[in-house]
Amino acid sequence: PQDNFHIECVQTYSKGFVIAGDNGTIMIFEKSEDAKNPYQQIAKLPQSEKKDKGEYPELQAGLMASRIRCMTLSSTDDCIIFTTENNQIMKVNVNVEKPLDDSKYEYLIYPFHSRAIQGMDVCIKKNLIATCSIDKTVRIWNNTNPPTLEICEVFHDEAYSVAFHPSGFHLIVGFTDRIRMMNVLQKSLKSYHVIPIKGCRELRFSNGGHLFACASQSNINVYKFYTGENTPDMIYKAHLGPVRCLHWLDDDSGFISGGWDGNVFTWKL
């Protein structure tokens, strides 16, 4: 079809075949009467001048840079469903009779994380779930039936941990170089305070939401959420290896921590 185009999958249909591969590209070929060129290209998707960025333009840009891994065509030859190497399931409606009509890529369900999910937390008072990933996105899902993606925020750094405030109005996210405290808006996340702790792998709000604990290697720091205060008596050191889990007591009088050193500690504030 063109130089340096890697064909990953082929699917036949009633009048020819469809190929897909690099850069989210799909090409449709139809049988012709020309003996020297028995099949001719009649469409190429997506059309560069009609690319629809959709609701999440950053994710669509990543999709266009991703290779299509497998593809299938509906029995009526009017819909192509395909998967990409960045772990998305997509669909595109096509008309093989008029293949040059505007056809746009859509998520079959919703945008999945493209790489490993590192952190997840559930809001106590709202039907919301927060996830973060090394794909540099933080997402909030509405746990309805079916679930829906409410917010997808793209950052410059990988996210390792996330904690949802009980009210559902705030998030704390641990990135490679810092911890960000953020407000949850209608369709976005707004950062309002930064804590200079690198590579935080575990974050946990207290049940009342007035405190939160964050693990920095073998140390645990407890902050007052509404003031951002972290006094020397709220730094806990005993683990010999990285802290991997935190759990607050029911009355918020303390918390339990577990680490890679095989130790479990109960701390009283």
Side-chain angles (χ1 to χ4, degrees):
Q2 65 187 46
D3 292 338
N4 301 319
F5 180 78
H6 183 98
I7 299 174
E8 188 72 24
C9 45
V10 179
Q11 179 70 44
T12 60
Y13 74 101
S14 57
K15 293 186 178 182
F17 63 91
V18 183
I19 64 172
D22 291 335
N23 301 322
T25 300
I26 297 173
M27 299 181 189
I28 302 175
F29 289 81
E30 186 177 83
K31 192 172 183 179
S32 70
E33 301 298 328
D34 187 352
K36 294 183 179 180
N37 187 22
Y39 290 91
Q40 63 179 7
Q41 180 180 316
I42 60 173
K44 180 180 177 181
L45 303 173
Q47 299 176 51
S48 57
E49 69 276 11
K50 295 183 178 180
K51 285 184 179 179
D52 187 350
K53 296 299 183 181
E55 191 174 0
Y56 305 103
E58 299 91 345
L59 301 185
Q60 288 284 0
L63 177 68
M64 291 303 101
S66 181
R67 179 177 294 174
I68 294 176
R69 287 299 190 186
C70 66
M71 169 183 63
T72 188
L73 191 63
S74 66
S75 58
T76 52
D77 295 344
D78 61 357
C79 181
I80 299 173
I81 297 176
F82 60 94
T83 62
T84 66
E85 65 180 353
N86 67 343
N87 302 316
Q88 305 303 314
I89 306 177
M90 309 295 297
K91 71 174 182 177
V92 56
N93 294 319
V94 295
N95 184 343
V96 293
E97 300 296 332
K98 298 178 181 179
L100 295 181
D101 285 352
D102 187 18
S103 297
K104 64 179 181 178
Y105 290 179
E106 299 175 291
Y107 291 97
L108 184 63
I109 307 174
Y110 35 67
F112 298 118
H113 282 288
S114 61
R115 299 182 66 188
I117 296 173
Q118 296 289 86
M120 181 176 67
D121 198 17
V122 178
C123 181
I124 295 176
K125 295 184 178 181
K126 292 186 177 181
N127 206 26
L128 299 174
I129 300 172
T131 58
C132 67
S133 168
I134 56 176
D135 65 4
K136 301 180 182 179
T137 67
V138 177
R139 309 185 189 210
I140 295 181
W141 311 81
N142 193 330
N143 190 27
T144 55
N145 189 17
T148 57
L149 178 62
E150 297 293 322
I151 297 174
C152 178
E153 198 77 22
V154 180
F155 296 89
H156 295 295
D157 303 305
E158 297 177 356
Y160 296 136
S161 55
V162 62
F164 223 138
H165 191 270
S167 67
F169 295 123
H170 313 284
L171 276 185
I172 299 177
V173 183
F175 292 92
T176 52
D177 60 344
R178 70 195 69 184
I179 294 173
R180 295 179 186 267
M181 301 173 68
M182 294 181 281
N183 290 322
V184 179
L185 306 181
Q186 186 174 5
K187 283 295 181 181
S188 64
L189 302 175
K190 180 71 172 180
S191 179
Y192 67 89
H193 185 64
V194 169
I195 299 173
I197 293 180
K198 296 182 179 180
C200 177
R201 298 277 180 170
E202 188 67 23
L203 286 165
R204 191 68 59 192
F205 268 108
S206 63
N207 297 300
H210 60 296
L211 300 170
F212 66 90
C214 56
S216 174
Q217 293 298 319
S218 59
N219 299 333
I220 303 168
N221 294 269
V222 174
Y223 286 81
K224 296 179 180 179
F225 173 68
Y226 295 106
T227 64
E229 185 181 4
N230 172 235
T231 57
D233 62 327
M234 298 175 73
I235 301 175
Y236 302 88
K237 302 179 181 179
H239 284 284
L240 302 177
V243 176
R244 297 305 295 135
C245 57
L246 298 168
H247 182 78
W248 284 88
L249 302 179
D250 290 342
D251 59 0
D252 290 340
S253 62
F255 60 93
I256 300 170
S257 65
W260 279 0
D261 56 3
N263 293 318
V264 177
F265 294 103
T266 299
W267 307 89
K268 289 290 185 177
L269 301 181

PDB file of all heavy atoms in Angstrom, residues 13 25 42-43 51 54-55 64 86-87 90 107 118 123 136 144 166 224 236 256 266:
ATOM      1  N   TYR A  13     -13.778  -8.913   2.848  1.00  0.00           N
ATOM      2  CA  TYR A  13     -15.209  -8.615   2.819  1.00  0.00           C
ATOM      3  C   TYR A  13     -15.733  -8.941   1.424  1.00  0.00           C
ATOM      4  O   TYR A  13     -14.985  -9.444   0.574  1.00  0.00           O
ATOM      5  CB  TYR A  13     -15.481  -7.165   3.234  1.00  0.00           C
ATOM      6  CG  TYR A  13     -15.126  -6.110   2.227  1.00  0.00           C
ATOM      7  CD1 TYR A  13     -16.098  -5.514   1.436  1.00  0.00           C
ATOM      8  CD2 TYR A  13     -13.814  -5.680   2.070  1.00  0.00           C
ATOM      9  CE1 TYR A  13     -15.787  -4.528   0.511  1.00  0.00           C
ATOM     10  CE2 TYR A  13     -13.491  -4.693   1.156  1.00  0.00           C
ATOM     11  CZ  TYR A  13     -14.470  -4.121   0.383  1.00  0.00           C
ATOM     12  OH  TYR A  13     -14.155  -3.150  -0.521  1.00  0.00           O
ATOM     13  N   THR A  25      -3.839   3.199  11.169  1.00  0.00           N
ATOM     14  CA  THR A  25      -4.305   3.353   9.790  1.00  0.00           C
ATOM     15  C   THR A  25      -5.015   2.102   9.285  1.00  0.00           C
ATOM     16  O   THR A  25      -4.534   0.981   9.487  1.00  0.00           O
ATOM     17  CB  THR A  25      -3.127   3.670   8.856  1.00  0.00           C
ATOM     18  OG1 THR A  25      -2.500   4.891   9.288  1.00  0.00           O
ATOM     19  CG2 THR A  25      -3.597   3.836   7.417  1.00  0.00           C
ATOM     20  N   ILE A  42      -9.570   2.060  -2.197  1.00  0.00           N
ATOM     21  CA  ILE A  42     -10.706   2.966  -2.342  1.00  0.00           C
ATOM     22  C   ILE A  42     -10.906   3.862  -1.125  1.00  0.00           C
ATOM     23  O   ILE A  42     -11.685   4.808  -1.173  1.00  0.00           O
ATOM     24  CB  ILE A  42     -12.004   2.174  -2.620  1.00  0.00           C
ATOM     25  CG1 ILE A  42     -12.302   1.209  -1.472  1.00  0.00           C
ATOM     26  CG2 ILE A  42     -11.915   1.456  -3.951  1.00  0.00           C
ATOM     27  CD1 ILE A  42     -13.653   0.521  -1.595  1.00  0.00           C
ATOM     28  N   ALA A  43     -10.213   3.555  -0.018  1.00  0.00           N
ATOM     29  CA  ALA A  43     -10.354   4.398   1.173  1.00  0.00           C
ATOM     30  C   ALA A  43      -9.175   4.176   2.105  1.00  0.00           C
ATOM     31  O   ALA A  43      -8.594   3.087   2.147  1.00  0.00           O
ATOM     32  CB  ALA A  43     -11.654   4.103   1.911  1.00  0.00           C
ATOM     33  N   LYS A  51      -9.757  14.153  10.772  1.00  0.00           N
ATOM     34  CA  LYS A  51      -9.523  13.472  12.034  1.00  0.00           C
ATOM     35  C   LYS A  51     -10.307  14.150  13.148  1.00  0.00           C
ATOM     36  O   LYS A  51     -10.213  15.364  13.347  1.00  0.00           O
ATOM     37  CB  LYS A  51      -8.029  13.474  12.375  1.00  0.00           C
ATOM     38  CG  LYS A  51      -7.231  12.472  11.537  1.00  0.00           C
ATOM     39  CD  LYS A  51      -5.775  12.436  11.964  1.00  0.00           C
ATOM     40  CE  LYS A  51      -4.990  11.424  11.136  1.00  0.00           C
ATOM     41  NZ  LYS A  51      -3.563  11.391  11.510  1.00  0.00           N
ATOM     42  N   GLY A  54     -12.252  14.240  19.185  1.00  0.00           N
ATOM     43  CA  GLY A  54     -13.174  13.684  20.156  1.00  0.00           C
ATOM     44  C   GLY A  54     -13.086  14.356  21.515  1.00  0.00           C
ATOM     45  O   GLY A  54     -12.598  15.474  21.668  1.00  0.00           O
ATOM     46  N   GLU A  55     -13.553  13.640  22.522  1.00  0.00           N
ATOM     47  CA  GLU A  55     -13.646  14.197  23.864  1.00  0.00           C
ATOM     48  C   GLU A  55     -12.302  14.237  24.565  1.00  0.00           C
ATOM     49  O   GLU A  55     -12.070  15.066  25.438  1.00  0.00           O
ATOM     50  CB  GLU A  55     -14.648  13.363  24.680  1.00  0.00           C
ATOM     51  CG  GLU A  55     -15.022  13.989  26.001  1.00  0.00           C
ATOM     52  CD  GLU A  55     -16.105  13.219  26.717  1.00  0.00           C
ATOM     53  OE1 GLU A  55     -16.570  12.199  26.177  1.00  0.00           O
ATOM     54  OE2 GLU A  55     -16.496  13.643  27.822  1.00  0.00           O
ATOM     55  N   MET A  64      -3.411   7.538  17.424  1.00  0.00           N
ATOM     56  CA  MET A  64      -2.935   7.687  16.049  1.00  0.00           C
ATOM     57  C   MET A  64      -1.456   7.324  15.912  1.00  0.00           C
ATOM     58  O   MET A  64      -0.965   7.089  14.807  1.00  0.00           O
ATOM     59  CB  MET A  64      -3.157   9.122  15.571  1.00  0.00           C
ATOM     60  CG  MET A  64      -4.619   9.499  15.386  1.00  0.00           C
ATOM     61  SD  MET A  64      -5.503   8.423  14.229  1.00  0.00           S
ATOM     62  CE  MET A  64      -6.393   7.347  15.344  1.00  0.00           C
ATOM     63  N   ASN A  86      -1.718   0.027  22.281  1.00  0.00           N
ATOM     64  CA  ASN A  86      -1.819   0.738  23.557  1.00  0.00           C
ATOM     65  C   ASN A  86      -3.104   0.375  24.306  1.00  0.00           C
ATOM     66  O   ASN A  86      -3.655   1.155  25.074  1.00  0.00           O
ATOM     67  CB  ASN A  86      -1.699   2.254  23.356  1.00  0.00           C
ATOM     68  CG  ASN A  86      -2.869   2.841  22.594  1.00  0.00           C
ATOM     69  OD1 ASN A  86      -3.619   2.127  21.935  1.00  0.00           O
ATOM     70  ND2 ASN A  86      -3.024   4.148  22.678  1.00  0.00           N
ATOM     71  N   ASN A  87      -3.584  -0.849  24.032  1.00  0.00           N
ATOM     72  CA  ASN A  87      -4.640  -1.496  24.836  1.00  0.00           C
ATOM     73  C   ASN A  87      -6.011  -0.828  24.736  1.00  0.00           C
ATOM     74  O   ASN A  87      -6.750  -0.781  25.718  1.00  0.00           O
ATOM     75  CB  ASN A  87      -4.206  -1.582  26.308  1.00  0.00           C
ATOM     76  CG  ASN A  87      -2.912  -2.329  26.488  1.00  0.00           C
ATOM     77  OD1 ASN A  87      -2.704  -3.372  25.879  1.00  0.00           O
ATOM     78  ND2 ASN A  87      -2.012  -1.799  27.309  1.00  0.00           N
ATOM     79  N   MET A  90     -11.473  -0.161  19.693  1.00  0.00           N
ATOM     80  CA  MET A  90     -12.078   0.916  18.927  1.00  0.00           C
ATOM     81  C   MET A  90     -13.070   0.379  17.908  1.00  0.00           C
ATOM     82  O   MET A  90     -13.059  -0.817  17.579  1.00  0.00           O
ATOM     83  CB  MET A  90     -10.992   1.708  18.185  1.00  0.00           C
ATOM     84  CG  MET A  90      -9.835   2.184  19.030  1.00  0.00           C
ATOM     85  SD  MET A  90     -10.319   3.399  20.277  1.00  0.00           S
ATOM     86  CE  MET A  90     -10.892   4.746  19.235  1.00  0.00           C
ATOM     87  N   TYR A 107     -14.386   4.982  20.691  1.00  0.00           N
ATOM     88  CA  TYR A 107     -14.106   3.925  21.664  1.00  0.00           C
ATOM     89  C   TYR A 107     -15.320   3.003  21.754  1.00  0.00           C
ATOM     90  O   TYR A 107     -16.455   3.476  21.849  1.00  0.00           O
ATOM     91  CB  TYR A 107     -13.790   4.515  23.039  1.00  0.00           C
ATOM     92  CG  TYR A 107     -12.467   5.247  23.080  1.00  0.00           C
ATOM     93  CD1 TYR A 107     -12.409   6.630  22.927  1.00  0.00           C
ATOM     94  CD2 TYR A 107     -11.275   4.551  23.259  1.00  0.00           C
ATOM     95  CE1 TYR A 107     -11.189   7.301  22.955  1.00  0.00           C
ATOM     96  CE2 TYR A 107     -10.057   5.213  23.282  1.00  0.00           C
ATOM     97  CZ  TYR A 107     -10.018   6.582  23.122  1.00  0.00           C
ATOM     98  OH  TYR A 107      -8.818   7.232  23.137  1.00  0.00           O
ATOM     99  N   GLN A 118      -1.290   1.742  38.584  1.00  0.00           N
ATOM    100  CA  GLN A 118      -0.442   1.694  39.774  1.00  0.00           C
ATOM    101  C   GLN A 118      -1.214   1.962  41.065  1.00  0.00           C
ATOM    102  O   GLN A 118      -0.807   1.526  42.133  1.00  0.00           O
ATOM    103  CB  GLN A 118       0.688   2.721  39.649  1.00  0.00           C
ATOM    104  CG  GLN A 118       1.656   2.454  38.512  1.00  0.00           C
ATOM    105  CD  GLN A 118       2.538   1.248  38.772  1.00  0.00           C
ATOM    106  OE1 GLN A 118       2.155   0.118  38.485  1.00  0.00           O
ATOM    107  NE2 GLN A 118       3.701   1.474  39.337  1.00  0.00           N
ATOM    108  N   CYS A 123     -14.240   6.328  46.445  1.00  0.00           N
ATOM    109  CA  CYS A 123     -14.812   7.397  47.263  1.00  0.00           C
ATOM    110  C   CYS A 123     -15.871   6.815  48.207  1.00  0.00           C
ATOM    111  O   CYS A 123     -16.711   6.013  47.790  1.00  0.00           O
ATOM    112  CB  CYS A 123     -15.414   8.467  46.368  1.00  0.00           C
ATOM    113  SG  CYS A 123     -16.138   9.849  47.278  1.00  0.00           S
ATOM    114  N   LYS A 136       0.660   8.095  32.559  1.00  0.00           N
ATOM    115  CA  LYS A 136       0.639   9.532  32.878  1.00  0.00           C
ATOM    116  C   LYS A 136      -0.762  10.117  32.894  1.00  0.00           C
ATOM    117  O   LYS A 136      -0.946  11.303  32.655  1.00  0.00           O
ATOM    118  CB  LYS A 136       1.537  10.311  31.906  1.00  0.00           C
ATOM    119  CG  LYS A 136       2.993   9.870  31.908  1.00  0.00           C
ATOM    120  CD  LYS A 136       3.839  10.664  30.940  1.00  0.00           C
ATOM    121  CE  LYS A 136       5.278  10.159  30.947  1.00  0.00           C
ATOM    122  NZ  LYS A 136       6.137  10.909  29.984  1.00  0.00           N
ATOM    123  N   THR A 144     -21.456   3.263  37.739  1.00  0.00           N
ATOM    124  CA  THR A 144     -22.858   3.003  37.413  1.00  0.00           C
ATOM    125  C   THR A 144     -22.932   1.712  36.607  1.00  0.00           C
ATOM    126  O   THR A 144     -21.949   1.005  36.448  1.00  0.00           O
ATOM    127  CB  THR A 144     -23.429   4.173  36.602  1.00  0.00           C
ATOM    128  OG1 THR A 144     -22.598   4.398  35.455  1.00  0.00           O
ATOM    129  CG2 THR A 144     -23.486   5.437  37.447  1.00  0.00           C
ATOM    130  N   PRO A 166     -12.942  11.518  51.253  1.00  0.00           N
ATOM    131  CA  PRO A 166     -14.290  10.955  51.478  1.00  0.00           C
ATOM    132  C   PRO A 166     -15.413  11.782  50.863  1.00  0.00           C
ATOM    133  O   PRO A 166     -16.450  11.237  50.485  1.00  0.00           O
ATOM    134  CB  PRO A 166     -14.393  10.913  53.003  1.00  0.00           C
ATOM    135  CG  PRO A 166     -12.983  10.810  53.478  1.00  0.00           C
ATOM    136  CD  PRO A 166     -12.164  11.592  52.503  1.00  0.00           C
ATOM    137  N   LYS A 224      -1.985  17.164  57.872  1.00  0.00           N
ATOM    138  CA  LYS A 224      -3.319  17.700  58.093  1.00  0.00           C
ATOM    139  C   LYS A 224      -3.835  18.194  56.749  1.00  0.00           C
ATOM    140  O   LYS A 224      -3.230  19.077  56.137  1.00  0.00           O
ATOM    141  CB  LYS A 224      -3.282  18.825  59.125  1.00  0.00           C
ATOM    142  CG  LYS A 224      -2.845  18.355  60.512  1.00  0.00           C
ATOM    143  CD  LYS A 224      -2.809  19.514  61.501  1.00  0.00           C
ATOM    144  CE  LYS A 224      -2.381  19.022  62.882  1.00  0.00           C
ATOM    145  NZ  LYS A 224      -2.320  20.148  63.868  1.00  0.00           N
ATOM    146  N   TYR A 236       6.870   9.063  60.898  1.00  0.00           N
ATOM    147  CA  TYR A 236       6.988   7.760  61.551  1.00  0.00           C
ATOM    148  C   TYR A 236       8.052   6.924  60.845  1.00  0.00           C
ATOM    149  O   TYR A 236       7.979   6.699  59.631  1.00  0.00           O
ATOM    150  CB  TYR A 236       5.633   7.052  61.554  1.00  0.00           C
ATOM    151  CG  TYR A 236       4.564   7.858  62.254  1.00  0.00           C
ATOM    152  CD1 TYR A 236       3.809   8.803  61.554  1.00  0.00           C
ATOM    153  CD2 TYR A 236       4.333   7.706  63.614  1.00  0.00           C
ATOM    154  CE1 TYR A 236       2.842   9.561  62.196  1.00  0.00           C
ATOM    155  CE2 TYR A 236       3.356   8.457  64.268  1.00  0.00           C
ATOM    156  CZ  TYR A 236       2.624   9.379  63.545  1.00  0.00           C
ATOM    157  OH  TYR A 236       1.671  10.136  64.191  1.00  0.00           O
ATOM    158  N   ILE A 256      -2.253   1.503  60.474  1.00  0.00           N
ATOM    159  CA  ILE A 256      -1.434   0.294  60.374  1.00  0.00           C
ATOM    160  C   ILE A 256      -0.634   0.369  59.083  1.00  0.00           C
ATOM    161  O   ILE A 256      -1.154   0.798  58.048  1.00  0.00           O
ATOM    162  CB  ILE A 256      -2.309  -0.975  60.388  1.00  0.00           C
ATOM    163  CG1 ILE A 256      -3.116  -1.050  61.683  1.00  0.00           C
ATOM    164  CG2 ILE A 256      -1.458  -2.234  60.220  1.00  0.00           C
ATOM    165  CD1 ILE A 256      -4.175  -2.135  61.679  1.00  0.00           C
ATOM    166  N   THR A 266       1.505  -0.931  64.104  1.00  0.00           N
ATOM    167  CA  THR A 266       0.351  -0.110  64.451  1.00  0.00           C
ATOM    168  C   THR A 266       0.864   1.168  65.086  1.00  0.00           C
ATOM    169  O   THR A 266       1.630   1.123  66.047  1.00  0.00           O
ATOM    170  CB  THR A 266      -0.584  -0.843  65.423  1.00  0.00           C
ATOM    171  OG1 THR A 266      -1.072  -2.046  64.809  1.00  0.00           O
ATOM    172  CG2 THR A 266      -1.779   0.027  65.794  1.00  0.00           C
TER     173      THR A 266
END
